[in-house]
Amino acid sequence: MTIEIKTSTLEPVRNTFAHIEKRFGDKPATRYQEATYDVQAETNFHYRPYWDPDHELNDPRRTALVMADWYAFKDPRQFYYGTYVQQRAKMQESAESSYAFFDKRNLVDALNDEVKTQVIRYLVPLRHVEHTANLNNMYGTAYGYGTAITQALLFDGMDRLGVAQYLSRIGLLLDGNSGDALNEAKQLWMQDPAWQGMRALCEESLVTKDWFELFLAQDLVIDTLVGELFYQQLDRKLSAQGGQDIAMLTEFMQEWSKDTGRWVDAVVKTAAAESDANRVLMTGWIERWRGKAAEALAPLAEEMLGAEALSEALAELDKRVAKAGIQ
Amino acid sequence: MSKVYLALQDNDVSRYIVEAIEEDNPEVTVIHNPAMIRIEAEGHMVVKRETVEEKLGRDWEVPELHLNLITLGGNVDEDDDQLSLSWNS
Amino acid sequence: MAAKKLSLKDKYSLLTRDLDWEFSYQDRKEAFPFEEFEGIKITDWSKWEDPFRLTMDAYWKYQAEKEKKLYAIFDAFAQNNGQLNVSDPRYVNAIKLFLTGISPQEYQAHQGFAHIGRQYGGVGARVACQMQSLDELRHVQTQVHAMSHYNKFFDGFQNWSHMQDRVWYLSVPTSFFHDARSAGPFEFLVAIGFSFEYVLTNLLFVPFMSGAAYNGDMATVTFGFSAQSDEARHMTLGLEVIKFLLEQHEDNVPIVQKWIDKWFWRGTRLLSLVGMMMDYMLPNKVMSWQEAWEIYFEEAGGALFKDLARYGITMPKYAELVEKEKEHVSHQTWWTFYTHGHAAGFHTWIPTDEELDWLSEKYPNTFDKYYRPRWELARKLEAEGKRFYTKALPQLCTTCQIPMLFTEMDDPTQISYRDTVYKGERYHFCSDGCCDIFNDEPEKFVQSWLPVHQIFQGNCGGPGVEQVLGEYYKMNLGADNLDIKGSPDEKRWKQWKGVA
């Protein structure tokens, strides 16, 4: 049986959900909009959490930052789950072929000992820094407010687990899958004086309570400095010393920094533009963590790259902060 | 002994996986539901990579099973070569 | 140097398990502060067995493949007006209840798993919870996208976000998840990861999604089964965590048993909504609620609890009572919605003759004796133009928040009431199970935001029920609610199909 349907009778009754229409007007909505805006519950919570009786389950007061509308934090990448995983799947496919190529062609044998030592000493221990970043972004996911920012924090958190695993694979490529390079890097992380400032900084970030402060500390301050020192400057140094193939293994991280940086910058800019009070608060947080991070990274940066390295990285950070409308 | 089970989406790849499971576990019962194939066995069942690869005529990794998997019952053990389901009692 | 080949297990362990470290500069307990207050004893997180050794790169790869397939179907569904292929416009009301009642809980699961994915001290368990948090976000978003097209052609979907925090029957699933999320991290995982995901979600997704397939709803069956492919991972996480807690310390056994008892009972109450969806809201029926319960709880759950017996875990309290309830709850629940159909955000109706006969056949012990006569009376009244709606607001159970609609199982004509006095106030319950739960945590449950109490206290607008429904709940009265007969949904459907 075929049923003839007149197209004129198939006019939609409405274009989108009521809360999306209220924000964006009566027109067909994007998948990002429908997946993001006003998804999180806002009121009439039944019970106070045993683990935080001073707040509701979803509560904007877990940070000192104040926003009239937490959905102002639009992700410029417009990532919801589906677009996020598909984008990362593309990146991992190209990373996978680089790692496979590196392995198959035994490129590790072409690295001189100086390069290998530096990779183990400086690059592999970063997996612990990435693991910290994973936890800090999960913190914002769990205690932040509004799906627009919390979903992006979750994507960031999972990305950092992925990066930690890629860094671990670099160690395994170097040690022939014995795990020795990972153990050595862990020893450095735990005991070597050059790394202790960084480890202390990571531990301090993990006990920080204000989630937006923590977002600035981790995703803006620490990530800018680490990205600059390790994925830019160290990368250039290793290339100059005959370790250019290492760049195949860190390309994912570089591309990732660019992608995520766009989102971080947008969040910082939006939060600062909201009010003077926010800007003052954020300036204080950024200064505090800039000071701590500079102190923590100083011995490492100097040993790894020389006296100027850290100030170059700090200049990069200052530029980014200024561009976001702070100071 | 209790039943372990898994259910797969009813599609082309699943048909080969079911064939492989039947070959490696002659005791299984296969039940066809709307859009879903349910496979049950007493106490233990295993999905072997090698057999699935043979049926599909291509490489197949065990985690690919998850693309078509709807549900399962039993203690899971997954490694490179197989996914097994079992009850201890 | 030839690299040795790493097994999946060794590789996962090297890539993930050693990322954490012993703190030297801060008190680690301050970074993971919630591990002890529930009384659970963890002596060694390294004993955690990773159920699936999924690294992030593999996660992205496989999940992207699933999403690609799923969205291709959503696009095709919208382009071809797939909503016209559903069996009957009544069917669409089941997925209205799904979007308003279940999708927001997927979001709460996402939030709860993010919380414990930050808080557990063991990296293996933490990572598994983080992935589940991400999956749960996927579920709510794919559900919203699947329903997006239906929303354009049917009433009752458009205000799901506003309704989730307010509507009287939606407080049942909402409070369930609030309860779990406000609990400690281990109770949350036993509640959602084990009791709900492992023991009960099959009952929600599997027969219901088969039902969607049977009723021509490609969009729902696709997201449903695609979500279920993550569920297999979640169920295994739920089971692993139970085994882990029980193996860590014998003092954990009674705590875990108490949680299993609580969450099994809360879960069965919540699922009475699913029973009603299966028995009454699917025009083409796959199996009865009773049959689903027997396969997915009695058989599958029975096997599970037999397996857990070696740790000293027993079947959940009141499992025998629930065995009797399976022949009653779906009928009692749909009847309540039918009689309160003016206050529901979806349509209700009287089962057709064929459906009544199907129910008689599926429920030989109870349907003809207790429930068929009600429907015959309702039909007589409807024929006389007197389709009735109960105007009184129902009393709600303080724990599960379902109206007092369940009966004593020994006497299905007698509504079951229990009560208790706490600090001079009397609290009411639908069952011993719900009363026990209150008595164990009264300070928690006295906080319950009970929708009917709130209406009486004037917190939901007013003065009348109409204003509450229209202004506070934002239902489109006359379109979203009332009987399917004469509804705009029905009129449009007839127009599309060219029938009078």
Side-chain angles (χ1 to χ4, degrees), chain A residues 280-298:
Chain A
V280 170
L281 195 60
M282 290 167 70
T283 305
W285 281 333
I286 292 170
E287 265 173 27
R288 196 159 87 85
W289 285 95
R290 183 190 184 278
K292 284 174 189 293
E295 197 183 325
L297 281 162

Side-chain angles (χ1 to χ4, degrees), chain C residues 12 28 39 56 78 110 169 194 250 286 304 323 373 397:
Chain C
Y12 185 81
R28 207 179 140 85
M56 266 328 281
H110 146 69
Y169 55 90
F194 178 74
E250 61 188 22
V286 177
L304 168 69
E323 205 174 321
C397 169

Side-chain angles (χ1 to χ4, degrees), chain C residues 99-112:
Chain C
L99 180 69
T100 53
I102 294 165
S103 303
Q105 314 326 323
E106 303 271 16
Y107 194 80
Q108 291 212 65
H110 146 69
Q111 294 183 292

Side-chain angles (χ1 to χ4, degrees), chain B:
Chain B
M1 191 59 84
S2 314
K3 275 182 188 162
V4 297
Y5 63 90
L6 56 85
L8 298 170
Q9 292 180 47
D10 191 353
N11 61 29
D12 205 46
V13 175
S14 295
R15 282 185 272 279
Y16 294 102
I17 298 173
V18 172
E19 217 178 287
I21 296 172
E22 282 181 298
E23 186 170 308
D24 291 326
N25 310 266
E27 308 295 306
V28 295
T29 314
V30 178
I31 304 156
H32 288 267
N33 287 325
M36 175 176 109
I37 312 169
R38 186 180 158 99
I39 309 129
E40 303 178 341
E42 291 290 328
H44 183 81
M45 180 178 356
V46 61
V47 186
K48 291 189 181 162
R49 179 176 54 79
E50 221 181 329
T51 320
V52 177
E53 286 184 340
E54 202 178 286
K55 300 288 169 198
L56 280 170
R58 64 165 171 89
D59 286 353
W60 183 81
E61 291 176 344
V62 178
E64 275 185 61
L65 181 66
H66 293 273
L67 294 174
N68 301 302
L69 188 61
I70 293 170
T71 184
L72 50 77
N75 292 298
V76 175
D77 190 28
E78 186 185 277
D79 63 26
D80 307 68
D81 297 322
Q82 61 178 52
L83 179 138
S84 70
L85 292 170
S86 61
W87 289 122
N88 295 316
S89 56

